[in-house]
Structures are given as structure tokens and as C-alpha cells.
Amino acid sequence: MTTPDATTPDATNPGAAPARSNGARAAGQRDPDRRQRIARAAIDVVAEVGVEKLTHRRVAAAAGVPLGSTTYYFKTLDDLLASALRQAADDDVEHLRTWAAGLDAGGDLAEALAELVLHYLGPARAQTAVEHQLYIAALHRPALQHVSQEWDTALADLFAGYTDAGTGRALSVLFCGWQLQGIVREQLPERREVEASFRRQLGR
Amino acid sequence: MTTPDATTPDATNPGAAPARSNGARAAGQRDPDRRQRIARAAIDVVAEVGVEKLTHRRVAAAAGVPLGSTTYYFKTLDDLLASALRQAADDDVEHLRTWAAGLDAGGDLAEALAELVLHYLGPARAQTAVEHQLYIAALHRPALQHVSQEWDTALADLFAGYTDAGTGRALSVLFCGWQLQGIVREQLPERREVEASFRRQLGR
DNA sequence: GCCATCAGTGTACAGATGTACAGGTCTGGT
DNA sequence: ACCAGACCTGTACATCTGTACACTGATGGC
């Protein structure tokens, strides 16, 4: 956005002091958004090749920044993964709040939830895949666990706003379950089936 | 050359018919169980360090076999991962069938399911963690996806045996959801809460 | 007993990886 | 104008990785 050199020729520039003959960003220029841009690039990398192939170099290439940049902003790979997870969680909660804001107050919640599940397994499938990978990645990184926990707590709280705490939690569990089972199948679950499960969980 | 033979890495000596004075298995001896033993070692490695740190060398060390052995039985790492996933899924389905066989016919299904969830988040937590990692690992390995699918299909079928197809599916989704959300928290969900969700899904 | 065959192993090697760090460039204060 | 320090980048390097393959020795048919 603020970067005038969006087409960074990362592979070029072998010389130590290029003197900026091309459009590459020269060292020393500030770029405060870069950190977040790198984190988002990490999310893209996870979406494309999976969390086990996340490397500094791949992220650097995806973000269009030199390798040194990724190690400058994120001391270790785990730091980078942590930021990616946080970013993904934030983006997701933001999206959910928007969804909730547009929800018809007197509408059918079960129907809306089924719609949401199908959205996450259809148009937003890549995002869902990333989130589950990051969620699972937290298993062996204690520092990340609270991010994952906050993520599904936010989900449960959101749903609880339309019912009660216990039901909200159960709805979030069911929601995650549909996402998880749907993400490894190419065929989407039937809307009717998803909706029925939510309806039963809502107790009517 | 760098290693003067004496430092055999397999110092553990799994006492399966050594026949050699120093105890190390000599080349040429057959060991038909070894393939499965390596696959199980891979599961242990995933449980301990995560799927992204699964390497031939680590598995070889865990199984007490030389490096060449793992590459002999599994041409590539993905082969090894596939076998581990299959093994874990088989073991899990086996365990579930045992659970089902011991189920009281007239008992309370919701209660039994809640118990099962707590078992997978308590005593069998490591196994659950592995299964979810392998499940997610299939996302970027199309060859593994059908194994994951068969796994939760088996789950749904099992539950459907006590109710009907639709309810069985919904129960399996709820079950996976509780597992997923529980696996990243150190605090177990309350049995009462889990049981209530199953009861509502059962519609009574 | 002999030997063809093949299961199993040790080692080498090219490539990828995380990370450190020296050095370059710019900004803000004086 | 000048400089100190913050910001950023290119590169080097030790380490780890997957995988190939020559080689060893047991097996089983004769």
C-alpha cells in the first residue's frame, strides 16, 4: 500500500552496494507496515504449502522483501508463526463480528450458522485451512496456546450473545467440528444437515 | 570414516534374536515386524515433537533402527507419514470398537459419549494430539485425505449404529469439536457440559 | 555344501535451513 | 552542516535434511 516498490526484484541485486539504480528499496528507509505485511505473507505461505514448510526464505519471497528483513522483524521462526497465528485469529474474529452485526435480530440462528459453516468451507476455505493448521501448530508451542484459546473463547462468547454461555460454547464446538470435518473433504456437507444439527443444539 | 564403527547408534539393542557378539543386529537378518515398528515410532515422534519435525533420523532413533532402515521401508517421508496416519487411524478405530462393544445396551449414550471425550482429553491425550496433527497434515497431501475421511466416516457410522445416519454424523462432528477445543487447553471441559451437548444433539 | 538372491545397513553428498552480523543508508536533533 | 544512532539488507556459515547406493551377510533351493 505505502510501498512504491511493490515489484521488489528480490533475486536481483547481487552487489553489496547497489546504489539504487533500479526500484529496490534502499536500506535505511522506514517501512512501519512491513512487519504486518510479513506476517500476512506467512499466512499465505501456510495456506499454499502448509505450516511444516514455512521458512524464512519462502515468506520473504512471498512478501517481496529480502531474507534479512524477515529475520530482522522476527528473531526466530516461532516468532513469525506466533505473529501469523495472532494475525489470522484477529482477522477471523473481525470477520465474525461483521457477520454478527449483519445478522437479522429476529432471524433463524440455526440457518445463519449453517450458512456461516458453508461460507468457511466454500469461499473462505483457504482461510479455514490456515486457521486449523495454526491452531494445531500451537500444540507444541506453549507460547501460542493462549492465542488459540482466546480465539475459540471469542467464538463461544459471540454465539453466547444470542443464547446463553453454555449453549454458546456448545455451538462453537459444533461449529469447529463442522469446519474440521469439512476441510479434508472436497464435498461440502449438506446445508440441511448442518442446519438440523445447530437447531437441535439450540434445543428446538 | 568419520565414525569408527564402535559407536553404534543402536546401543539400545532391542533383544530380538541378536546372534552377534556385540548385540547389534547383523545385516541380512529378517525382521518382518520392523516396518510396523517404524510406523509406530513415527507416531511417537509426532506426539513428542510435532509433525513438522518428523525426520527419518528422529524416527530411526526412536525405533532403535539404523537410518538406512527407515529409508529402506519408506521411500520418502510422505510414505512414512502416510503409514503413521493409517496406523494411528486403525489403532483408534480399533479402540473405539472395543469401547462400543463394552457399551451398556440400555445405558445413557450421552453420558457414555461425554466419558469418551474426557478419556481422549485425559489418559489418551497424546493419542488425540497425534491424530489431529495427522488429520491436519493430510490437508496438503492429497494421497492421505481418504485416510482421514475414512477415519471420521468410521466414527460417524459407529455412532449411527445407536441412532440413525444423520444423528450419528452430527454426534461425530460434536465429538471431534470437543476433542479439538479440548486439546489446546490444559483445563478439561466439565463433564456435565459435554454430556448436556450430546443430550441435546440426541434430541431428548 | 554351494551359491544366487535379496533383506538390511553404513556412509556419502548435494541442497536447504535458521540465524548471526558486518556494513550500508537514512532520520532527527543540534 | 554534522553526527549518532536507528533502521534495514546482503551474505556467510554451521547444521540438518532427504535420498541414493555400494556393500554385507543370511537364506533357501539345489
Side-chain angles (χ1 to χ4, degrees):
Chain A
M1 189 180 189
T2 61
T3 347
D5 59 337
T7 66
T8 303
D10 27 61
T12 65
N13 238 359
R20 204 160 71 245
S21 62
N22 52 20
R25 168 178 301 279
Q29 285 189 351
R30 293 175 174 232
D31 183 5
D33 294 339
R34 179 164 289 203
R35 190 184 158 90
Q36 193 184 39
R37 205 143 42 87
I38 293 174
R40 284 229 161 80
I43 294 176
D44 293 342
V45 168
V46 173
E48 278 168 34
V49 299
V51 71
E52 73 269 6
K53 296 198 176 167
L54 183 79
T55 67
H56 277 135
R57 272 163 251 257
R58 236 185 278 256
V59 172
V65 301
L67 169 63
S69 217
T70 63
T71 67
Y72 173 72
Y73 286 105
F74 303 96
K75 256 343 185 182
T76 75
L77 251 195
D78 274 7
D79 275 350
L80 179 49
L81 198 59
S83 282
L85 172 58
R86 218 176 308 264
Q87 187 73 54
D90 287 351
D91 290 353
D92 182 56
V93 170
E94 170 74 19
H95 176 260
L96 283 172
R97 287 199 211 289
T98 306
W99 169 83
L103 204 55
D104 185 10
D108 184 352
L109 185 54
E111 194 181 319
L113 285 168
E115 186 70 37
L116 190 60
V117 164
L118 291 178
H119 167 78
Y120 273 111
L121 293 180
R125 175 176 268 260
Q127 187 188 338
T128 308
V130 169
E131 281 157 11
H132 277 264
Q133 285 185 79
L134 295 176
Y135 196 89
I136 291 295
L139 271 181
H140 290 282
R141 293 173 181 83
L144 295 198
Q145 290 180 3
H146 85 274
V147 182
S148 291
Q149 289 175 21
E150 281 172 9
W151 183 64
D152 58 42
T153 298
L155 195 65
D157 287 350
L158 187 75
F159 294 160
Y162 297 95
T163 55
D164 60 87
T167 306
R169 178 88 189 277
L171 288 175
S172 81
V173 171
L174 193 56
F175 184 78
C176 287
W178 279 115
Q179 278 188 322
L180 180 64
Q181 286 205 8
I183 205 67
V184 297
R185 312 182 99 95
E186 67 279 0
Q187 187 164 15
L188 296 183
E190 292 196 31
R191 173 195 307 264
R192 168 177 55 75
E193 192 182 10
V194 180
E195 188 177 324
S197 72
F198 281 119
R199 203 175 299 284
R200 279 199 266 196
Q201 202 55 235
L202 283 163
R204 65 181 91 130
Chain B
M1 307 314 174
T2 57
T3 31
D5 61 339
T7 66
T8 44
D10 53 343
T12 60
N13 180 19
R20 277 271 164 249
S21 60
N22 72 350
R25 172 179 299 279
Q29 285 188 350
R30 293 180 172 226
D31 183 3
D33 293 339
R34 179 165 289 203
R35 190 185 158 89
Q36 194 184 38
R37 206 143 40 88
I38 293 174
R40 285 228 161 81
I43 295 177
D44 292 343
V45 169
V46 172
E48 277 168 36
V49 300
V51 71
E52 73 269 6
K53 295 198 175 165
L54 183 79
T55 68
H56 277 134
R57 272 163 251 257
R58 236 184 279 256
V59 173
V65 301
L67 169 62
S69 219
T70 63
T71 66
Y72 174 71
Y73 286 106
F74 303 97
K75 262 329 188 195
T76 75
L77 250 195
D78 274 7
D79 276 349
L80 179 49
L81 197 60
S83 282
L85 172 58
R86 219 176 307 264
Q87 186 74 55
D90 287 351
D91 289 353
D92 182 56
V93 170
E94 170 74 19
H95 175 261
L96 283 172
R97 286 199 211 289
T98 305
W99 169 83
L103 205 56
D104 184 11
D108 185 353
L109 186 55
E111 195 181 318
L113 285 168
E115 186 70 37
L116 190 60
V117 165
L118 291 179
H119 167 78
Y120 273 111
L121 294 180
R125 175 176 269 259
Q127 186 189 338
T128 309
V130 169
E131 279 157 13
H132 277 264
Q133 284 185 79
L134 294 176
Y135 196 89
I136 291 296
L139 270 182
H140 290 281
R141 294 175 181 82
L144 296 198
Q145 290 180 4
H146 85 273
V147 182
S148 292
Q149 289 175 21
E150 281 172 9
W151 182 66
D152 58 41
T153 298
L155 194 65
D157 288 349
L158 187 75
F159 294 160
Y162 298 95
T163 55
D164 60 88
T167 306
R169 178 87 188 275
L171 288 175
S172 82
V173 171
L174 193 55
F175 184 79
C176 286
W178 279 116
Q179 278 188 321
L180 181 63
Q181 286 204 8
I183 205 68
V184 297
R185 313 180 98 96
E186 67 279 0
Q187 188 164 16
L188 297 182
E190 293 196 28
R191 172 195 307 262
R192 168 176 56 75
E193 191 182 11
V194 179
E195 188 177 323
S197 73
F198 282 119
R199 203 175 300 283
R200 278 201 265 197
Q201 201 55 234
L202 283 162
R204 67 181 89 131

